[in-house]
Amino acid sequence: KTIEFTGALHATVVKQVRLKNPSVKNLVYNATLVGRDAADFSLPKGNTVTIAPKRQTSINVEFTSRFLHPAEAVLLLISKSVGGIDGATLTFSLKSEVKHIEPTDILKCKSPCYEL
């Protein structure tokens, strides 16, 4: 599955990934961001996700664009064994696109165009 982050340059975009636990025991995942632009993505609530039995939870993934080129990374959710229960390893492709640029400031300059 691909999660797309679209916004302005230097803006922070937050997306949620919903995880479900169909089993009768807790599932614990360790979340890791890998790839060329992994440093531009973050997990503000930490890298460990616990999902109660027969419940669902959401994790937030934040992206702050620093450049105009599209950023790419992968979110890996690797299960930790808890009481003999292992969940499937989950992968999500993270991609970004800068749609517009907001000026941070406007400067007015005055200078002669031509001088002898």
Side-chain angles (χ1 to χ4, degrees), residues 29-104:
Y29 282 99
N30 187 23
T32 306
L33 294 163
V34 294
R36 180 187 73 193
D37 302 306
D40 295 331
F41 295 88
S42 65
L43 302 164
K45 293 184 181 176
N47 292 359
T48 303
V49 181
T50 302
I51 311 167
K54 303 289 184 188
R55 299 284 179 157
Q56 63 184 14
T57 190
S58 294
I59 60 171
N60 290 342
V61 181
E62 286 185 0
F63 169 73
T64 302
S65 61
R66 297 184 299 145
F67 304 106
L68 288 174
H69 70 77
E72 295 181 0
V74 174
L75 171 62
L76 282 174
L77 292 161
I78 302 168
S79 172
K80 291 182 180 179
S81 183
V82 177
I85 298 294
D86 281 333
T89 297
L90 305 172
T91 60
F92 297 91
S93 176
L94 309 176
K95 296 187 179 198
S96 75
E97 184 178 1
V98 174
K99 287 287 191 179
H100 60 281
I101 301 170
E102 295 287 332
T104 55

Side-chain angles (χ1 to χ4, degrees), residues 4-22:
E4 294 185 12
F5 296 80
T6 304
L9 184 63
H10 301 294
T12 299
V13 180
V14 180
K15 294 285 185 164
Q16 288 189 328
V17 178
R18 185 179 307 150
L19 304 170
K20 294 181 183 180
N21 179 3

